[in-house]
Amino acid sequence: MNDSNDIRFLLTIQEAGSLVAAARRLGLSPPAVTQRLQQIEKRLDTRLVDRTARRLRFTEEGLLLCQRGAHLVQQFDTLFEDLQSRRGGLVGTVRVRAPLGFGRRYLASVVSGFQHDHPDVDIELTLTDQPLTESADRYDVVVHIGELPASNLIGYAIAPNARFVCASPALLKRVPNLETPDDLAHLPCIVLRENNEDASLWQFRKGRTARSVRVSSKLSCNDGEVIRRWACEGRGVILRSEWDVADDIAKGSLVRLLPAWKANDADVIALTHNRAGLPARTRQFMQYLQAQFRPQPPWRS
């Protein structure tokens, strides 16, 4: 294998998860993808992918090639981009992965604005309810909200973001006044399933006093927009990011509960693979992204 395009081809198959999906991304027919994969394996004299009608699994050799090859491709792209930037412009592709709701409301316009300013840069924005998965390694920038689990990615602060307990005025007319988080255990609540977190365990702090409460939920969803809408309709209490509910609180559609008790913050951060050696396009995109949320993010304006 002496062509970086072969590595890119294998990385596309790995990310797509199937030869059919990879064919769609590459604009090829599934037989053409299979044929090219067979040619690469023949040149290397080793099997890289075990494939059956139902599943696709990379061999140890295939995984090794993808893992090391991804770094080589990045270094290759960075080298040529740095040469191009010395001639006065940014080129290449920035792959961004982000949460669904936050991506729709805030990142879409940021991505569009950056690409408008740098027309030779391609940006691929992928929105998902689980931005931190194994496939996140294939992205240049991963936007994450909340506590960061153990990771080898490097984090950059984007914006502060608190989390509020909220309910509609209509619901509050039917329930007693809340005094402590323990009271939430007796109320209908709505939980958001994301990032494999324990969605029904809500944690609070007031000074040095900490409280954890297991809420009861008849409604749950992996889309924050859905649970916010349910809360506005009076179906239950939610624990939701400030960026998502600030407008509803300002309009009176939702009321913030237990303001003296602070839930864990869920700050917005951006993750990259390393600090040194980032392509110029990625560095400048990160700077542009941070600038859009300073000095105050829009939900605190």
Side-chain angles (χ1 to χ4, degrees):
M1 176 178 291
N2 54 13
D3 188 345
S4 67
N5 287 329
D6 286 341
I7 297 178
R8 298 178 199 274
F9 173 76
L10 290 173
L11 291 172
T12 300
I13 293 177
Q14 185 184 46
E15 182 180 353
S18 72
L19 297 183
V20 173
R24 286 197 296 267
R25 295 192 182 191
L26 295 167
L28 301 173
S29 66
V33 171
T34 301
Q35 183 179 16
R36 183 173 178 184
L37 176 59
Q38 291 172 342
Q39 291 171 347
I40 295 173
E41 291 177 327
K42 183 176 181 181
R43 288 200 301 271
L44 294 176
D45 192 26
T46 186
R47 192 167 183 83
L48 301 175
V49 181
D50 290 327
R51 54 265 191 197
T52 66
R54 292 188 175 182
R55 62 193 298 267
L56 178 150
R57 184 182 66 85
F58 274 72
T59 65
E60 290 187 9
E61 292 77 11
L63 290 173
L64 178 64
L65 186 58
C66 286
Q67 182 180 15
R68 295 189 180 180
H71 295 296
L72 292 174
V73 166
Q74 182 183 19
Q75 293 175 4
F76 184 85
D77 290 344
T78 300
L79 170 62
F80 281 91
E81 186 200 341
D82 287 344
L83 290 175
Q84 179 69 22
S85 64
R86 295 190 178 199
R87 296 164 52 189
L90 296 180
V91 296
T93 301
V94 179
R95 296 173 177 85
V96 183
R97 186 177 175 94
L100 283 166
F102 189 81
R104 284 193 299 261
R105 190 177 302 186
Y106 294 109
L107 284 187
S109 59
V110 173
V111 166
S112 177
F114 183 82
Q115 200 285 323
H116 179 270
D117 293 344
H118 303 281
D120 291 329
V121 175
D122 298 334
I123 303 188
E124 298 177 4
L125 175 61
T126 299
L127 302 181
T128 172
D129 63 336
Q130 290 189 327
L132 287 181
T133 61
E134 291 182 3
S135 60
D137 290 338
R138 291 281 292 115
Y139 291 82
D140 303 298
V141 177
V142 177
V143 176
H144 177 69
I145 300 176
E147 184 178 353
L148 181 65
S151 171
N152 59 354
L153 299 175
I154 306 300
Y156 298 80
I158 300 300
N161 175 56
R163 293 199 297 171
F164 298 154
V165 177
C166 305
S168 71
L171 177 65
L172 295 180
K173 292 179 180 179
R174 307 195 304 268
V175 301
N177 292 331
L178 302 183
E179 297 181 358
T180 73
D182 297 333
D183 297 330
L184 293 169
H186 309 293
L187 299 180
C189 294
I190 306 170
V191 300
L192 175 65
R193 304 188 311 271
E194 62 179 356
N195 297 325
N196 297 319
E197 296 176 352
D198 189 348
S200 63
L201 183 64
W202 294 1
Q203 300 179 1
F204 302 89
R205 182 172 295 277
K206 181 181 180 182
R208 295 184 178 180
T209 302
R211 285 284 189 276
S212 296
V213 56
R214 177 72 67 180
V215 300
S216 175
S217 174
K218 297 293 185 180
L219 288 171
S220 67
C221 185
N222 66 333
D223 188 335
E225 170 65 20
V226 172
I227 73 162
R228 186 191 63 79
R229 190 183 312 149
W230 282 339
C232 290
E233 293 171 354
R235 296 303 313 277
V237 179
I238 60 171
L239 175 62
R240 192 68 186 112
S241 279
E242 177 185 4
W243 68 260
D244 192 29
V245 297
D247 287 347
D248 289 305
I249 293 174
K251 292 185 298 185
S253 302
L254 291 175
V255 177
R256 183 181 176 187
L257 310 178
L258 301 171
W261 291 86
K262 181 177 176 58
N264 294 333
D265 287 337
D267 293 340
V268 183
I269 59 176
L271 306 167
T272 64
H273 295 288
N274 48 54
R275 294 189 188 276
L278 283 180
R281 63 181 180 272
T282 304
R283 292 196 306 270
Q284 292 203 28
F285 176 79
M286 288 290 300
Q287 294 169 2
Y288 183 89
L289 175 60
Q290 289 175 314
Q292 305 311 302
F293 295 90
R294 292 177 179 172
Q296 289 286 350
W299 50 89
R300 293 189 179 178
S301 299

